[in-house]
Amino acid sequence: MIGEDTLDAVMAVMDAGFDPHWREAWTREQVRDSLEMPSTFLLLADRTAKPIRSGAAVGFVLSRQALDEEELLLIAVTPEERGQGIGGRILGDYLLAARARGVRRVFLEMRANNPVRSLYTRHGFVPIGTRPRYYRTSDGQALDAITFARHL
Ligand SMILES: CC(C)(COP(=O)(O)OP(=O)(O)OC[C@H]1O[C@@H](n2cnc3c(N)ncnc32)[C@H](O)[C@@H]1OP(=O)(O)O)[C@@H](O)C(=O)NCCC(=O)NCCS
């Protein structure tokens, strides 16, 4: 079972890291429920991008495995720690961990205007499709989702 201290650390990054305008952040209950499932994985990192279980986290990756495929559900780094390579390092560590548990292909979905795109393409993700008007912002604007995939 997921510890409350781990959930505290995830939610501190979640609340700081996602602009509510895009409505991408998950609630504490959503994170807890998803981590109750053995197929969901959390990588939580400190400011040196080292994995930690709780405490002063600045970034995380949340993913869900289905056989030899996995979906990267969320990645975030707190705003004051961005641009130093932490996001890239936790994404790289995540991909290594996924491969080690037998994953052959990782998917993710991104709102079409997210600047995270360059990070994903630098790590070998390629766009494979678009879901029109998949996201809705807090002021009701509809945004396409782009699906990316990466073979491991
Ligand atoms: C995406 C994110 C995790 C990157 O973390 P980071 O520690 O800044 O990543 P790095 O320092 O390794 O790399 C920065 C790169 O990400 C890009 N980037 C992605 N999102 C960015 C953002 N919101 N602001 C600035 N740069 C961003 C930059 O262009 C930069 O690319 P470059 O090196 O080619 O110039 C972080 O920006 C974030 O938490 N964003 C908000 C949450 C989000 O949108 N997550 C993705 C959807 S789940």
Side-chain angles (χ1 to χ4, degrees):
M1 208 172 86
I2 174 94
E4 293 303 314
D5 51 349
T6 301
L7 272 175
D8 287 345
V10 171
M11 292 314 295
V13 178
M14 188 84 76
D15 293 343
F18 285 94
D19 181 340
H21 177 70
W22 306 114
R23 299 174 71 207
E24 294 164 324
W26 288 23
T27 65
R28 189 179 183 96
E29 288 62 42
Q30 286 173 307
V31 176
R32 189 201 311 275
D33 289 351
S34 89
L35 286 169
E36 299 281 317
M37 291 186 271
S39 53
T40 306
F41 295 91
L42 171 68
L43 191 159
L44 190 64
D46 69 10
R47 57 167 42 83
T48 64
K50 276 215 317 276
I52 53 174
R53 302 289 287 270
S54 60
V58 306
F60 72 82
V61 174
L62 192 67
S63 64
R64 186 174 298 143
Q65 184 175 4
L67 302 175
D68 64 351
E69 295 185 339
E70 200 156 306
E71 183 175 2
L72 193 165
L73 299 165
L74 291 173
I75 180 170
V77 168
T78 54
E80 58 277 12
E81 301 292 342
R82 286 182 194 160
Q84 308 171 56
I86 296 173
R89 284 169 65 191
I90 62 175
L91 181 57
D93 288 350
Y94 158 70
L95 292 171
L96 286 174
R99 181 153 56 195
R101 55 181 170 253
V103 173
R104 307 302 306 155
R105 204 163 182 226
V106 175
F107 296 92
L108 62 86
E109 235 138 46
M110 184 200 84
R111 69 178 147 80
N113 64 350
N114 195 331
V116 73
R117 185 184 187 120
S118 66
L119 187 65
Y120 292 147
T121 52
R122 206 150 23 92
H123 280 80
F125 284 89
V126 292
I128 58 164
T130 301
R131 290 182 186 217
R133 305 172 66 81
Y134 184 73
Y135 294 99
R136 193 158 293 269
T137 64
S138 59
D139 58 6
Q141 186 196 356
L143 289 171
D144 295 351
I146 304 175
T147 304
F148 286 82
R150 188 201 195 278
H151 284 282
L152 298 182

